[in-house]
RNA sequence: GCGAGCGUGGCGAAACUGGCAGACGCGCAGGACUUAGGAUCCUGUCCCGCAAGGGGUGCGGGUUCGAAUCCCGCCGUUCGCACCA
């Protein structure tokens, strides 16, 4: 862009000044706070990117810029801001990308990281590059493995066989959340299958109650409510009761129900096909039917069973259980709408008051007994008849407890975190299996367990990790007895890498500890964390869980890692989601080249509310650029021919102070788009009144600095300062200058705006009404009628209600 | 199906605890300066109307002196969760 935007002989040329200031920041170590002895530490964290594509896209830029604006604002407010950056470079996304382009991730990922670094420097983020980290660095993942060992030793990591989701295309196990309605999240037309594998799990369910309770504690967690809501739903707390239904000659069947108040209406029971009692309950004459049904279910995958709108199928076991409330025998059925992983894998079916049970009962002709009338009162419920069901619920639980038939319980939907991945690109799980000693953790002094270079890193459909094909790597002596043993060949989930990275940043240079106690105390928990809401449950919940474990083990003195979390919005393009298939991806580099990083930043922050996102329209960027050109010209004018401060009209002073007030509050609330609009208004006012008042323009530059750091530095220097604009302090305002001497009050007649009058700022209510009633336009609308009621909103509005 | 959010000009969007709807910007129209302008500057820009005035925040009701904002019922849209007992 070499066109002249301004009449000035010295036009604003972004590329020159951006390069100049980036070099100068690096020289001056401008973005490197004293990590050991900061005066006012402020840990400003943004979710680190995964370098799974060749470069950062506009969505990343939007998120990083929004976080950086906040960090720079805090810096100007006098905080020692620590704003680290790193790369979440392990994991399925990176690996799949490597497979796609046919380059080994060990080669490809560092190359991508280098490009990410270049882009991040170019955008002018306030990053402390000393503390950069990559989860793929053995210096990092040594401690990820250490973390696994801490959980293992604390009894929070265990192995179990489990039905897992298997994507034939990814050739790996998927987390439930990577399965979208039965299909792989990455391969929309690939059906996920069910496989059974031995896997490592973390006992996050032990922490369900604490994870939930802290969400309600605003003193501990100041988070976007959309995020806390998502976590609450994910944890899924249900209050109810475990109830035993006796079976003659067998163990009783235990069910979980949230509706013990409807127990008198339980007319049959349903077990999950995998339920352990199925075999013993089945009668001889039903054996064939049951076996057939089990066979049929087995050919279906776990995931499509979860899809809700299918017709219900099932089979009678031939067995009966006794309803402990009515004492009557009820048939026990088998159906795949009951899931083994939730509750006890068995339910009492109350078809009169549960839609799913009703559908099943109707299909198979089972009894339906209503126990609640249309007024919500119990009936056919023995001693509880006539009582409102909601109210009787706790008494029914107590009644069941007294009979020894059940107990009130709380159940969570949350399940344990499966961290095993049958993949190559991750930290090997630090476990060794010995025939004599069993499962042996790798001794801490042997960490890291290096991920070996492996030419053939692709997963195959055998279900075992690529590392299992590398005998010389996995055959090792047992650390305990020295006999030949075998390493665990699965790697851990990427979410484990990212669950603790914020702890590593302040301590990234230490190789003898994962995080330094002093540094952690100084900087953690994180003051402000900004990231995408797509991580609302997974990353953010896992990070919270890991922090709780570390807290309980005495490693850290807080249990919530992120004091304040805000989810940013998403950028769309011309009303549609950006995607490669649509071909509407915006490459940031081109825009930065054409318009400059500062203009790009300013535009991104201007195009919509940060927490909601916005629509990226190519032409829109010219507005912010025009604005910067005008500010530039104004600065030039202040340097050459300023207007004297005492000549500045009061109305302009008021606008100045109002702007400072508004921008400060808007930045605090991440309302960047309105903050920028306010700065534009201030500039418009200065231009209208032809004012080039040095004090005002300097404040304008200061307030622009978080958005356009290079531009602001350059202007600041031209204004004669020899230190960085970020060494200056954020402007304040004078409350007395927030209001004009004379204000305009709106006059409504019968609620409709009819006129407006100018009154002194401190006019009394009576004086305002007097002015209103003296206004000719107003009188015309009153038209001689009586004023029945007068409403007065101080300083704003008068409403005259006619009789 | 359940949960959360969002529906405002040609477009992106503003509007504090209910109090001037459309700030700011894009685009568009007209003008100025210009050999020229896709640069810059000025003016205008929700709709109908010459005006006075009237209408207007997805649709239909309600509360209120007053509703984009609160309540109820629809419709549309986005994002989660999805047979969770």
């Amino acid at each position: 862009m070499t066109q002249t935007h301004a009449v000035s002989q010295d036009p604003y040329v972004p590329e020159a000044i951006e390069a100049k200031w980036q070099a100068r920041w690096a020289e001056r170590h401008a973005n490197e706070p004293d990590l050991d002895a900061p005066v006012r530490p402020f840990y400003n964290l943004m979710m680190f990117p995964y370098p799974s594509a060749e470069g950062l896209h506009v969505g990343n830029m939007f998120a990083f810029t929004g976080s950086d604006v906040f960090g720079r604002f805090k810096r100007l407010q006098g905080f020692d801001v620590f704003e680290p950056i790193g790369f979440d470079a392990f994991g399925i996304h990176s690996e799949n990308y490597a497979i796609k382009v046919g380059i080994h991730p060990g080669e490809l990922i560092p190359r991508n990281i280098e490009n990410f670094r270049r882009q991040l420097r170019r955008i002018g983020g306030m990053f402390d590059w000393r503390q950069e980290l990559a989860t793929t660095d053995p210096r990092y993942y040594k401690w990820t493995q250490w973390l696994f060992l801490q959980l293992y030793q604390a009894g929070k990591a265990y192995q179990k066989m489990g039905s897992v989701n298997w994507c034939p295309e990814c050739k790996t196990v998927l987390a439930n959340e990577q399965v979208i309605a039965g299909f792989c999240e990455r391969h929309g037309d690939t059906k996920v299958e069910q496989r059974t594998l031995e896997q490592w799990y973390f006992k996050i369910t032990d922490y369900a109650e604490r994870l939930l309770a802290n969400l309600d504690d605003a003193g501990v967690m100041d988070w976007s409510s959309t995020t806390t809501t998502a976590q609450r739903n994910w944890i899924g707390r249900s209050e109810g009761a475990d109830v035993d239904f006796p079976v003659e000659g067998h163990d009783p069947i235990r069910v979980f129900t949230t509706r013990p108040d409807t127990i008198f209406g339980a007319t049959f029971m349903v077990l999950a096909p995998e339920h352990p009692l199925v075999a013993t309950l089945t009668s001889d004459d039903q054996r064939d039917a049951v076996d057939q049904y089990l066979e049929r279910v087995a050919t279906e995958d776990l995931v499509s069973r979860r899809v809700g709108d299918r017709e219900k199928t099932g089979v009678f076991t031939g067995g009966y259980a006794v309803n402990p409330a009515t004492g009557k025998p009820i048939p026990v059925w088998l159906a795949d709408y009951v899931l083994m992983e939730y509750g006890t894998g068995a339910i009492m079916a109350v078809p009169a008051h549960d839609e799913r049970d009703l559908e099943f009962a109707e299909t198979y002709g089972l009894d339906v007994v209503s126990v609640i009338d249309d007024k919500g009162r119990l009936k056919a419920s023995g001693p509880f008849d006539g009582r409102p069901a909601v109210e009787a619920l706790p008494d029914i639980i107590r009644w069941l407890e007294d009979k020894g038939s059940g107990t009130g319980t709380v159940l969570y939907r949350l399940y344990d975190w499966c961290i095993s991945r049958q993949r190559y690109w991750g930290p090997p799980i630090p476990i060794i299996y010995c025939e004599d000693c069993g499962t042996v953790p790798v001794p801490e002094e042997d960490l890291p367990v290096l991920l070996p270079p492996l030419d053939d890193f692709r997963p195959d459909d055998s279900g075992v990790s690529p590392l299992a094909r590398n005998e010389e790597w996995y055959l090792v002596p047992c650390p305990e007895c020295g006999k030949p043993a075998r390493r665990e060949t699965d790697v851990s989930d990427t979410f484990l890498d990212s669950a603790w990275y914020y702890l590593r940043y302040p301590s990234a240079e230490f190789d003898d500890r994962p995080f330094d106690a002093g540094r952690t105390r100084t900087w953690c928990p994180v003051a402000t964390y900004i990231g995408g809401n797509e991580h609302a449950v997974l990353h953010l919940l896992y990070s919270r869980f890991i922090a709780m474990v570390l807290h309980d083990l005495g490693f850290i003195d807080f249990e919530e890692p992120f004091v304040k979390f805000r989810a940013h919005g998403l950028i769309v393009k011309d009303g549609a989601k950006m995607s490669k298939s649509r071909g509407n991806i915006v490459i940031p580099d081109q825009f930065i080249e054409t318009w400059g990083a500062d203009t790009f930043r300013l535009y991104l922050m201007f195009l919509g509310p940060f927490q909601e996102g916005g629509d990226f329209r190519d032409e829109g960027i010219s507005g912010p650029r025009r604005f910067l050109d005008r500010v530039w010209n104004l600065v030039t004018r202040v340097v050459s021919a300023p207007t004297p401060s005492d000549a500045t009209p009061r109305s302009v002073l008021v606008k100045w102070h109002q702007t400072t007030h508004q921008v400060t509050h808007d930045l605090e609330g991440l309302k960047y788009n309105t903050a920028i609009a306010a700065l534009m208004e201030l500039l418009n006012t200065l231009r209208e009144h032809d004012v080039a008042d040095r004090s005002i323009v300097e404040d304008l530059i200061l307030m622009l600095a978080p958005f356009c750091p290079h531009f602001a530095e350059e202007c600041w220097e031209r204004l004669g300062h020899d230190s960085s604009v970020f060494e200056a302090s954020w402007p304040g305002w004078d409350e007395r200058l927030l209001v004009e001497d004379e204000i305009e009050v709106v006059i409504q007649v019968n609620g409709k705006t009819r006129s407006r009058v100018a009154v002194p700022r401190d006019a009394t209510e009576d004086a305002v009404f007097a002015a209103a009633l003296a206004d000719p336009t107003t009188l015309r609308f009153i038209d001689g009628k009586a004023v029945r009621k007068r409403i007065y909103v101080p300083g704003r509005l008068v409403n005259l209600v006619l009789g």
Side-chain angles (χ1 to χ4, degrees):
Chain A
M1 197 85 184
T2 49
Q3 280 164 303
T4 305
H5 283 267
V7 285
S8 159
Q9 297 175 322
D10 176 25
Y12 167 43
V13 182
E15 32 184 341
I17 69 172
E18 283 166 14
K20 165 182 166 183
W21 285 100
Q22 281 165 19
R24 208 174 275 188
W25 291 332
E27 254 162 54
R28 292 177 179 171
H29 304 283
N31 301 324
E32 300 169 10
D34 180 349
L35 292 174
D36 292 305
V39 181
R40 297 174 72 195
F42 190 96
Y43 192 165
N44 189 54
L45 184 65
M46 58 190 76
M47 284 184 183
F48 61 169
Y50 35 80
S52 62
E54 48 271 56
L56 294 162
H57 53 83
V58 220
N60 300 128
M61 290 299 191
F62 176 73
F64 293 147
T65 302
S67 178
D68 187 59
V69 167
F70 194 74
R72 289 185 180 276
F73 169 56
K74 287 290 147 187
R75 170 77 178 274
L76 279 159
Q77 285 188 321
F79 290 94
D80 298 306
V81 176
F82 177 44
E83 192 172 290
I85 190 76
F87 304 96
D88 192 10
F90 263 144
I92 198 166
H93 292 103
S94 300
E95 187 173 333
N96 283 349
Y97 180 66
I99 291 170
K100 196 177 124 200
V101 300
I103 303 175
H104 194 281
E107 188 188 326
L108 179 69
I109 300 306
R111 214 197 283 167
N112 284 351
I113 287 179
E114 189 44 46
N115 194 39
F116 273 49
R117 270 196 209 105
R118 182 190 58 77
Q119 287 181 298
L120 288 165
R121 288 209 160 89
R122 190 82 178 76
I123 197 74
M126 203 177 59
F127 302 117
D128 183 346
W129 290 99
R130 291 174 305 176
Q131 306 303 109
E132 178 196 333
L133 62 80
T135 54
T136 45
D137 184 345
R139 287 182 59 233
Y140 182 88
Y141 73 71
K142 169 183 180 177
W143 301 113
T144 306
Q145 293 169 336
W146 172 88
L147 185 60
F148 175 92
L149 294 177
Q150 301 312 306
L151 274 107
Y152 178 77
Q153 278 144 20
K156 300 294 178 200
Y158 67 98
Q159 267 181 304
K160 73 174 179 196
M161 290 292 283
S163 290
V164 294
N165 308 300
W166 175 269
C167 171
E169 197 66 38
C170 298
K171 297 186 167 60
T172 190
V173 164
L174 301 180
N176 281 355
E177 46 277 10
Q178 291 170 315
V179 181
I180 313 299
F183 293 88
C184 173
E185 72 166 343
R186 298 186 45 80
H187 306 97
D189 47 4
T190 305
K191 271 204 121 187
V192 174
E193 301 167 358
Q194 182 188 172
R195 287 207 177 182
T196 308
L197 294 172
E198 179 100 47
Q199 318 231 33
W200 283 96
Y201 291 83
F202 282 168
K203 281 196 78 68
I204 190 172
T205 49
D206 282 359
Y207 291 79
E209 194 57 54
R210 272 164 77 187
L211 288 167
L212 195 60
N214 285 359
L215 291 176
D216 294 321
D217 188 343
V220 183
M221 294 178 72
D222 168 17
W223 283 32
S224 301
S225 63
T226 50
T227 313
T228 53
T229 303
Q231 293 211 348
R232 256 181 227 110
N233 292 341
W234 188 260
I235 295 168
R237 184 182 200 274
S238 297
E239 283 183 23
D242 279 343
V243 184
D244 287 333
F245 283 61
V247 181
E248 210 186 311
H250 294 291
D251 291 336
I253 301 170
R254 172 162 294 186
V255 302
F256 173 78
T257 176
T258 54
R259 298 294 306 277
D261 53 320
T262 62
I263 190 166
F264 286 87
T267 51
F268 61 99
M269 302 192 74
V270 188
L271 305 186
E274 302 85 352
H275 198 283
L277 292 176
V278 167
T280 53
L281 271 168
T282 304
S283 66
D284 290 340
D285 50 331
Q286 284 297 98
R287 180 86 48 200
D288 284 351
V290 168
D291 286 348
Q292 261 179 31
Y293 185 72
L294 289 178
E295 218 169 282
R296 190 178 134 194
V297 170
T299 61
E300 280 181 21
D301 59 274
L302 187 65
V303 173
S304 63
R305 266 185 62 189
R306 292 168 164 274
V307 178
D309 47 1
R310 313 179 314 139
E311 227 166 81
K312 299 210 174 354
T313 60
V315 66
F316 179 43
T317 61
Y320 288 84
V322 176
N323 182 328
T326 62
K328 289 183 191 155
I330 55 175
V332 180
W333 284 67
L334 207 63
D336 67 353
Y337 80 92
V338 174
L339 306 172
M340 197 59 220
E341 332 63 271
Y342 185 76
T344 61
I347 61 161
M348 62 174 210
V350 186
H353 307 290
D354 183 289
E355 260 181 56
R356 297 156 301 177
D357 296 345
L358 181 64
E359 194 191 326
F360 192 76
E362 280 172 346
T363 306
Y364 293 100
L366 296 160
D367 291 347
V368 179
V369 175
S370 173
V371 291
I372 299 176
D373 66 20
D374 47 7
K375 291 195 175 106
R377 284 183 310 231
L378 290 168
K379 61 180 184 185
S381 294
F384 302 100
D385 278 359
R387 296 188 54 195
V390 223
E391 189 193 298
L393 197 144
D395 293 336
I396 294 180
I397 293 176
R398 213 164 303 128
W399 180 71
L400 289 167
E401 282 172 351
D402 291 345
K403 286 163 47 105
S405 291
T407 42
T409 40
V410 173
L411 188 67
Y412 301 92
R413 201 195 72 106
L414 183 71
Y415 32 78
D416 279 338
W417 174 14
C418 175
I419 62 140
S420 295
R421 294 292 181 273
Q422 292 68 42
R423 281 292 190 128
Y424 170 68
W425 196 235
I429 293 173
I431 287 289
I432 293 168
Y433 302 105
C434 169
E435 280 198 9
D436 294 345
C437 311
T439 302
V440 180
V442 172
E444 266 180 50
E445 59 271 22
D446 293 347
L447 296 181
V449 177
L450 289 171
L451 180 68
L454 205 64
D455 286 341
D456 181 18
F457 66 94
R458 280 153 217 268
D460 60 29
D461 54 15
S462 64
V464 293
S465 160
L467 292 177
R469 300 195 293 260
N470 189 357
E471 211 177 76
E472 65 186 82
W473 178 78
Y474 70 69
L475 288 180
V476 283
C478 169
E480 280 178 15
C481 69
K483 279 197 199 151
R486 196 189 150 101
R487 283 192 193 283
E488 166 67 65
T489 53
D490 283 355
V491 298
S492 57
D493 181 9
T494 341
F495 281 116
L496 183 57
D497 303 324
S498 56
W500 73 283
Y501 77 116
Y502 68 94
L503 284 168
R504 183 63 181 167
Y505 277 137
S507 303
E509 73 268 44
F510 300 115
D511 285 323
D512 58 344
R513 62 206 116 152
F515 42 89
D516 179 75
R519 289 270 177 92
T520 305
R521 222 175 300 116
T522 302
W523 293 98
C524 295
V526 171
T528 299
Y529 192 26
I530 286 175
N533 225 7
E534 66 271 20
H535 292 119
V537 279
L538 304 174
H539 163 61
L540 287 168
L541 195 66
Y542 293 152
S543 300
R544 295 181 57 212
F545 157 65
I546 292 294
M548 279 183 191
V549 173
L550 290 172
H551 171 264
D552 292 354
L553 294 175
F555 287 108
I556 55 179
D557 57 9
F558 54 91
E559 63 172 38
E560 284 298 340
F562 314 121
V563 175
K564 173 170 161 178
F565 173 76
R566 290 292 181 273
H568 63 248
L570 294 175
I571 295 291
V572 299
K573 163 85 172 150
D574 300 329
K577 205 169 177 172
M578 269 187 223
S579 70
K580 282 211 180 94
S581 54
R582 270 199 192 83
N584 62 352
I585 302 261
V586 177
I587 308 293
D589 299 54
Q590 296 164 358
F591 271 83
I592 294 174
E593 202 128 311
T594 311
W595 300 94
D598 285 322
T599 300
F600 188 62
R601 288 170 62 109
L602 192 62
Y603 178 50
L604 286 177
M605 296 301 99
F606 182 63
L607 53 71
F610 182 62
Q611 293 178 79
E612 282 162 42
D615 195 341
F616 192 101
R617 299 176 71 252
D618 291 359
E619 323 84 66
I621 196 171
S622 60
R625 175 57 193 262
R626 250 196 291 272
F627 169 67
L628 289 185
D629 283 329
R630 288 168 183 167
V631 174
W632 180 269
N633 291 340
L634 182 60
V635 167
T636 307
R637 207 177 137 202
V638 168
V639 172
S640 58
T643 55
S645 281
D646 52 17
T648 304
R650 190 185 146 96
S651 66
V652 174
L653 296 180
V654 168
K655 188 71 188 173
W656 171 28
H657 284 249
Q658 283 174 340
T659 304
T660 314
H661 179 255
Q662 192 193 330
V663 170
T664 305
H665 285 101
D666 282 353
L667 284 184
E668 202 63 69
L670 310 183
K671 294 181 199 157
Y672 301 142
N673 56 333
T674 48
I676 294 166
L679 293 174
M680 289 173 167
E681 282 188 56
L682 176 60
L683 178 76
N684 292 346
T685 303
L686 292 174
R687 283 157 56 87
E688 253 165 56
H689 291 83
D690 201 30
V691 168
D693 180 332
R694 179 177 199 94
S695 312
I696 302 179
V697 172
E698 287 199 341
D699 278 4
L700 176 61
I701 296 302
L702 281 167
M703 290 188 280
L704 201 49
F707 299 103
C708 305
H710 320 82
F711 177 88
E713 289 276 30
E714 183 67 22
C715 290
W716 197 246
E717 190 180 66
R718 283 164 184 249
L719 285 164
H721 300 274
D722 24 83
S723 59
S724 164
V725 68
F726 294 100
E727 301 292 318
S729 52
W730 189 255
W733 62 88
D734 183 340
E735 292 286 338
R736 289 166 303 178
L737 279 169
L738 292 182
V739 193
E740 297 263 22
D741 287 338
E742 192 161 74
I743 55 176
E744 227 179 34
V745 174
V746 169
I747 301 174
Q748 295 185 339
V749 177
N750 284 338
K752 294 197 173 189
T753 302
R754 294 305 187 186
S755 183
R756 52 203 72 197
V757 291
V759 297
R761 172 166 41 124
D762 49 7
T764 61
E765 185 173 338
D766 286 344
V768 174
F769 278 114
L773 293 170
D775 175 62
T777 315
T778 310
L779 288 172
R780 207 170 80 233
F781 282 95
I782 292 176
D783 192 27
K785 298 194 186 79
V787 175
R788 182 166 58 87
K789 195 171 172 186
R790 321 195 312 181
I791 312 278
Y792 179 59
V793 181
R796 310 197 61 148
L797 171 145
V798 164
N799 187 11
L800 302 169
V801 185
L802 303 184

